[in-house]
Amino acid sequence: MPEQRNAWRRHDTAALARELRGAVRGEVAFDAAARALMTMDASNYRRVPLGVVAPRDTEDLAAALAVCRTYGVPVVPRGGGTSIAGQATGTGVVLDFTRHMRAITELDPGTRTVVVQPGVVLDDLRAAAGVYGLTFGPDPSTHSRCTLGGMIGNNACGSHSVAWGTTADNIYDLSVVRYGGGEELRLGQGWRSDAPEGLRALVNGNLALLRTGFPELPRRISGYALDALLPENGVNVARAFCGSEGTLAVMSRATVRLVDAPRARVLAVLGYADESAAAEAAPALLPYGPLTVEGMAEDLVPERERALLPRGRAWLFVEMGGDTPAEALSRARQLLKAAQALDAEVVTGPAQQRALWRVREDAGGTATRMPDGSEAWPGWEDCAVPPARLGAYLRDFRSLLAGHGLRGTPYGHFGDGCVHVRIDFDLLSESGVRRFRAFSEEQAELVVAHGGSLSGEHGDGQARAELLPKMYGNELVALFGRFKDVWDPAGGMNPGMLARPARLDEDLRFAVLPGEPVDVTFAYPHDGGDFSAAVRRCVGVAKCRTETPSGAGVMCPSFRATGDEQHSTRGRARLLHEMLAGEVVTDGWRSEEVRGALDLCLSCKGCRSDCPVGVDMATYKAEFLHHHYRGRVRPAAHYAMGWLPVWLRAAAPFTRVLRPASRVRPVAALVKRLGGIAPERDLPAPAPGTFRSWWRARNRAGRQPAQEPGTTTVVLWPDTFTDHLSPDVGRAAVRVLEAAGLRVAVPPRQLCCGLTYVSTGQLDRARAVMRRTLDGMERAAGLPVVVLEPSCAAALKADLPELLPDDPRAAALASSVRTFAQALEEYAPHWRPPVIDRPVAGQTHCHQHAVLGDAAEQRLRERAGLAGPLSGGCCGLAGNFGFERGHYDVSVACAEEQLLPSVREAAQGTELLADGFSCRTQLEQLAGRRARHLAEVLAEGLAAEPADGSEGPATRPAEGL
């Protein structure tokens, strides 16, 4: 091993950082937060780097590599950080290509080539190519956030590899910079390319070994592709570089091949008895020219999606393309004749196809939880065997799992013989880690016995490189080491991967976590009450790093606004993990690094539903703030907006004075300064009268309409926002609910869901408020509770039972919560809403999307003739977030992502809908447009009581509790 590999000494870190800052123009970060964000990728491994450099261009890259060589510090190139085997982690300097070097520098539709820098995100490349009817063929499930540099480093594949091959199959040439800097090397085909000195002699001296040592199969990703350097294979140096996992040099640009994108696609879904039967059927489909042959068993298909699928317990998703929909459909029908399936269905609708593909793409996260909720992990994520052997291999694999007492659900690229699986390894105990090693060794032997590759997609990394001798033999593996030394004689490029690898059971990321559960306030029922288990839910697949929102998705608005890893759900989870570990982030709950990352979390709860593993960062943030500020003075905004229910109740008798006073600029400025409120914000004025005062006056006048005996009573929840700030919404809801034949009751005293205390982390106060609420709702036990404000409904539905898990009343109240549309659909199913016949635009509240779902709202709008979808994303105000000082710019950026453009583009006469008070406030303050709650629009359409409360004679007194 070269001496320079160990030349670095810890006391040189400060000097290294100084020299890097002087040498490169990009960001250089050696602080705890930057290092903590890079300790892990999507694997089981954790390695702590010294620092992070984000080079701006090739000159920066070369300068950074030169400095690191001088100090003997290793480097690891990193793209999206979604590697499954640990190769995107390192102990030296991480080169982060997600900030800069993201340009598509040249796109030639005539030659179907494009030149890219390493940080280009795959979906950005596909979008640029799509303008010309072209695409980049390889498409891993992380296509919305993985980078081309990472794809080349791992030789990524994806579901369309049966049609278009691996990344290596689509590379023309590469430019790379070696450890130590210097000029770029241009790698292509033939020895005329800039191959390093000694490479040709290495190949020519080992021709026999190279010709016999590599198995033939479509998904051989393991090891170095030295056979690409054989004369009969064209001496393709660029191809040999692909899949080298950052161990040879750093890619600075690539010229890649594009392919024609089919104009039309259909999806044939074929049902089989089990995954082995599906696997055995897959090879017979390949002659029909499918674009994909993907396999998945029932354990990975959510119940809500199974209605889309034909009969069976496992399915093949076979995509067929054509120039026209008719041609694609005809080809799919021809394929069905050879499929030998139990049942089959051809899906032509784009929305249905997207829903099914979303299930497949999320499987990398979904599979991390077994059906009983226990954890499962990568490690043997992507073995590949010849497609004709896949069925037999899966049966043997199942037997091996059972023999070790392990469980896993296979899925993946059955047409290529590549199987993904997460296994419920116990990686927390010594005995569990020993079992992990024993299984890994036997699994490697099983794969080799079937003529396969230890890796069929994600690379070897630390997870499998130690076992490469079982696949290639000692002689060829020794040649791998010599190959690396030709490129990297100093040994500074990503040491521990591929050549001279680290042990597969070292550096496991779980070893640093606390051995006993951390004392926390929320119950974390899905994680056994263990905060560490909740944090380690994040496996790093980085769906939260998607920069372009899709459909109704919400996660993660602050990352899309800033582009900064620490403001992604994954980044925050990594910092919490390091906080629990205590090695890099050393201040525990007092950590300023964690507080800084959570500061821009909007608590939108989008990750609760959009994250494949259900990370709930809003809850983690509330938990952290609770501990961080315990016994300390809080930010002014926590007192101003966290205690908003108290201030609004206190102000209610004085609204005639306070409303005009809030419009006086000096007064408003003083209030905002004292309350920690953004100076750019207008203060919402309390309504002239509360909803509850209107309700009491109405009851005294006896103006509630008569109801038939046996009429269902619903409790209308008078949340703080409806009661004090939007009483028109409450009055409208009463009219509509009563018009639907429901009897409305309202709690006799002011109650609170505790939302504002939860969002500011004042959890002791939140629990006290919630207990008082449960006391006040005892007379309403068993009645449905209609909550008009989605954030309050979500607090009652999710936060209440998790903060008061030992009080059965909390779970009972949570189960009784209904949204306005849910109540109408469930308790007045035959009621016909007024037909409005108007297009709509606006916002689905993020808490509604994440916790409650909006299917009932969509159906109610359709029945009322309110046509069109509402925007996804987050409005950016998010309760107290957008009002807090320092958050205004991010708040506006979030609104500009989907909400404000959808409103600006809406045709004249479009009804603006937003059930959340925050969403309506954001629209009013940023767009000058008034949006309404769905209840208000429906009430306007009813021939009902006038808004002033003069309803006419009543025949029955109002209902009380």
Side-chain angles (χ1 to χ4, degrees):
M1 185 177 296
E3 293 181 2
Q4 286 178 315
R5 179 175 299 180
N6 297 316
W8 167 77
R9 300 184 305 277
R10 289 192 179 276
H11 63 262
D12 289 334
T13 302
L16 169 67
R18 283 195 303 272
E19 193 156 342
L20 282 169
R21 291 190 181 102
V24 305
R25 291 174 291 109
E27 294 85 351
V28 176
F30 276 60
D31 59 280
R35 296 167 63 218
L37 290 168
M38 298 294 171
T39 56
M40 291 173 277
D41 50 15
S43 71
N44 297 325
Y45 299 99
R46 170 185 177 271
R47 297 193 292 171
V48 180
L50 293 175
V52 183
V53 175
R56 288 190 173 273
D57 51 27
T58 303
E59 184 179 346
D60 256 9
L61 172 59
L65 289 171
V67 171
C68 290
R69 170 71 180 266
T70 299
Y71 280 79
V73 172
V75 298
V76 53
R78 179 175 169 120
T82 57
S83 298
I84 298 289
Q87 59 267 63
T89 66
T91 57
V93 169
V94 173
L95 300 173
D96 180 8
F97 289 101
T98 62
R99 297 193 187 186
H100 314 297
M101 297 190 73
R102 301 182 49 163
I104 299 172
T105 60
E106 184 180 337
L107 197 161
D108 186 343
T111 61
R112 291 183 171 84
T113 59
V114 59
V115 180
V116 299
Q117 292 182 320
V120 170
V121 172
L122 175 57
D123 270 2
D124 293 342
L125 170 59
R126 297 202 301 179
V131 174
Y132 305 99
L134 302 172
T135 191
F136 186 66
D139 61 336
S141 60
T142 55
H143 53 81
S144 62
R145 58 270 191 198
C146 69
T147 65
L148 267 292
M151 292 179 67
I152 291 168
N154 290 349
N155 193 10
C157 307
S159 60
H160 288 86
S161 63
V162 292
W164 297 318
T166 71
T167 297
D169 296 323
N170 293 273
I171 296 295
Y172 275 129
D173 61 56
L174 301 172
S175 295
V176 304
V177 182
R178 297 169 69 186
Y179 185 63
E183 296 296 321
E184 285 183 302
L185 301 181
R186 186 75 175 267
L187 312 182
Q189 192 162 351
W191 290 121
R192 287 178 297 176
S193 66
D194 295 334
E197 184 179 353
L199 181 58
R200 186 171 186 173
L202 181 72
V203 172
N204 290 339
N206 294 276
L207 291 175
L209 181 60
L210 296 180
R211 285 176 172 136
T212 59
F214 293 89
E216 289 292 331
L217 69 162
R219 286 294 193 95
R220 173 174 52 82
I221 305 298
S222 281
Y224 292 114
L226 297 186
D227 56 331
L229 298 174
L230 288 168
E232 58 266 35
N233 292 334
V235 189
N236 195 325
V237 182
R239 187 182 182 96
F241 187 90
C242 289
S244 58
E245 302 183 14
T247 61
L248 305 181
V250 185
M251 188 201 102
S252 54
R253 63 177 176 173
T255 305
V256 304
R257 177 171 68 95
L258 301 175
V259 297
D260 289 317
R263 292 186 175 90
R265 305 185 194 213
V266 299
L267 182 62
V269 186
L270 315 174
Y272 295 90
D274 55 38
E275 77 260 9
S276 288
E280 288 167 343
L285 306 181
L286 299 179
Y288 292 86
L291 300 175
T292 70
V293 183
E294 297 290 289
M296 179 177 289
E298 63 180 347
D299 290 349
L300 292 175
V301 182
E303 282 289 342
R304 64 182 181 275
E305 305 290 355
R306 291 188 186 178
L308 298 173
L309 300 173
R311 289 183 300 111
R313 301 187 65 184
W315 298 270
L316 292 179
F317 293 179
V318 185
E319 187 177 68
M320 304 297 291
D323 288 335
T324 66
E327 180 184 355
L329 182 59
S330 174
R331 297 184 66 196
R333 287 172 174 163
Q334 290 176 9
L335 177 136
L336 292 185
K337 297 176 183 177
Q340 298 181 341
L342 292 176
D343 195 8
E345 182 177 348
V346 177
V347 180
T348 58
Q352 276 189 305
Q353 290 186 49
R354 282 195 300 271
L356 288 166
W357 281 125
R358 192 158 46 245
V359 173
R360 165 62 186 87
E361 290 175 358
D362 285 353
T366 305
T368 64
R369 294 282 155 164
M370 303 302 293
D372 63 1
S374 57
E375 297 165 307
W377 304 106
W380 286 95
E381 171 73 14
D382 62 313
C383 299
V385 298
R389 300 288 299 272
L390 183 58
Y393 163 74
L394 284 172
R395 282 189 289 271
D396 290 345
F397 173 71
R398 288 282 193 183
S399 296
L400 182 62
L401 280 176
H404 284 271
L406 297 169
R407 297 174 298 164
T409 302
Y411 67 99
H413 315 294
F414 282 17
D416 273 335
C418 181
V419 174
H420 296 308
V421 62
R422 300 284 175 122
I423 300 172
D424 65 339
F425 297 119
D426 168 17
L427 298 177
L428 302 177
S429 69
E430 291 184 7
S431 61
V433 172
R434 284 196 298 270
R435 179 183 296 184
F436 168 62
R437 166 168 278 281
F439 173 86
S440 298
E441 292 173 344
E442 292 184 39
Q443 167 67 0
E445 294 167 357
L446 175 63
V447 172
V448 172
H450 281 274
S453 173
L454 304 187
S455 171
E457 181 158 25
H458 297 305
D460 298 306
Q462 190 167 349
R464 288 177 289 266
E466 182 189 358
L467 302 173
L468 285 176
K470 294 180 181 291
M471 177 179 171
Y472 288 116
N474 291 328
E475 188 177 5
L476 188 52
V477 169
L479 189 61
F480 288 167
R482 293 169 60 192
F483 178 68
K484 174 178 169 60
D485 291 343
V486 166
W487 289 89
D488 179 31
M493 291 301 308
N494 207 5
M497 303 295 131
L498 281 182
R500 307 177 188 95
R503 289 171 57 88
L504 63 88
D505 51 357
E506 295 176 335
D507 303 321
L508 293 172
R509 67 187 179 100
F510 316 98
V512 296
L513 292 175
E516 298 295 328
V518 178
D519 184 22
V520 287
T521 308
F522 281 94
Y524 303 100
H526 304 296
D527 298 290
D530 186 353
F531 185 68
S532 296
V535 169
R536 67 175 181 259
R537 268 182 178 270
C538 178
V539 294
V541 296
K543 190 179 178 183
C544 52
R545 280 183 53 92
T546 301
E547 296 179 347
T548 303
S550 58
V554 173
M555 179 185 69
C556 178
S558 52
F559 171 76
R560 291 198 294 272
T562 66
D564 191 335
E565 171 80 12
Q566 71 171 320
H567 298 307
S568 69
T569 304
R570 181 179 73 172
R572 294 174 179 124
R574 291 293 178 258
L575 283 163
L576 286 168
H577 188 285
E578 294 303 324
M579 179 194 82
L580 294 172
E583 178 185 352
V584 181
V585 177
T586 57
D587 295 333
W589 294 113
R590 298 295 200 210
S591 166
E592 286 300 311
E593 295 89 357
V594 178
R595 187 203 61 76
L598 290 171
D599 181 56
L600 291 188
C601 172
L602 286 84
S603 297
C604 67
K605 289 187 178 288
C607 47
R608 184 180 175 114
S609 61
D610 295 352
C611 172
V613 293
V615 168
D616 185 358
M617 193 54 62
T619 295
Y620 306 169
K621 176 181 179 179
E623 185 77 63
F624 176 82
L625 292 177
H626 170 72
H627 294 278
H628 185 75
Y629 288 111
R630 174 170 276 176
R632 296 200 291 178
V633 175
R634 289 174 165 270
H638 287 200
Y639 300 108
M641 285 171 282
W643 286 64
L644 185 65
V646 172
W647 307 137
L648 287 175
R649 283 199 300 272
F654 311 104
T655 54
R656 289 186 178 181
V657 175
L658 293 175
R659 281 175 62 83
S662 67
R663 300 188 185 98
V664 178
R665 287 188 179 182
V667 174
L670 177 62
V671 171
K672 286 186 279 188
R673 186 162 60 251
L674 293 175
I677 298 170
E680 302 91 339
R681 286 290 176 189
D682 294 330
L683 296 174
T690 66
F691 166 74
R692 288 175 52 77
S693 64
W694 171 84
W695 177 260
R696 288 192 296 267
R698 184 175 187 258
N699 284 0
R700 286 194 298 270
R703 289 176 176 148
Q704 189 173 19
Q707 304 287 350
E708 297 294 330
T711 297
T712 299
T713 297
V714 298
V715 179
L716 186 63
W717 181 264
D719 64 86
T720 295
F721 305 99
T722 299
D723 193 20
H724 293 278
L725 300 170
S726 298
D728 288 349
V729 173
R731 293 197 288 267
V734 169
R735 294 190 199 98
V736 176
L737 293 169
E738 290 180 344
L742 300 174
R743 180 180 296 125
V744 179
V746 173
R749 61 187 177 88
Q750 183 74 56
L751 300 175
C752 180
C753 66
L755 167 70
T756 57
Y757 304 105
V758 172
S759 63
T760 54
Q762 301 180 74
L763 300 186
D764 290 337
R765 176 65 180 171
R767 290 197 291 189
V769 168
M770 289 173 173
R771 288 192 185 97
R772 189 162 60 245
T773 291
L774 292 176
D775 293 341
M777 288 294 289
E778 284 188 344
R779 292 177 59 188
L783 295 177
V785 178
V786 182
V787 187
L788 301 173
E789 172 58 45
S791 56
C792 294
L796 291 170
K797 195 81 175 174
D799 297 328
L800 172 65
E802 292 190 21
L803 280 172
L804 299 177
D806 297 327
D807 191 330
R809 300 176 302 170
L813 178 55
S815 67
S816 71
V817 169
R818 302 291 186 274
T819 68
F820 173 70
Q822 288 171 346
L824 288 170
E825 186 171 84
E826 187 172 349
Y827 302 109
H830 303 298
W831 176 69
R832 294 183 178 180
V835 178
I836 310 298
D837 276 340
R838 197 177 302 160
V840 298
Q843 179 83 54
T844 298
H845 195 286
C846 47
H847 287 191
Q848 175 117 31
H849 166 82
V851 179
L852 308 159
D854 67 337
E857 278 70 19
Q858 292 182 38
R859 289 189 290 266
L860 180 55
R861 293 199 304 269
E862 289 172 4
R863 293 172 64 201
L866 293 166
L870 302 185
S871 73
C874 179
C875 75
L877 193 60
N880 58 291
F881 175 85
F883 275 99
E884 290 185 11
R885 186 183 297 125
H887 292 172
Y888 182 78
D889 289 342
V890 170
S891 176
V892 173
C894 293
E896 286 288 359
E897 185 182 66
Q898 291 192 62
L899 175 59
L900 294 181
S902 72
V903 170
R904 294 188 192 109
E905 294 164 7
Q908 188 173 3
T910 297
E911 181 68 53
L912 297 187
L913 289 177
D915 284 358
F917 175 77
S918 291
C919 308
R920 296 194 298 272
T921 301
Q922 186 80 314
L923 272 174
E924 184 174 355
Q925 294 199 0
L926 298 185
R929 302 287 297 276
R930 181 175 181 268
R932 296 194 289 175
H933 194 288
L934 180 57
E936 294 180 279
V937 177
L938 294 181
E940 183 181 69
L942 291 171
E945 305 93 345
D948 63 4
S950 56
E951 290 88 349
T955 57
R956 187 178 181 86
E959 187 77 14
L961 289 177

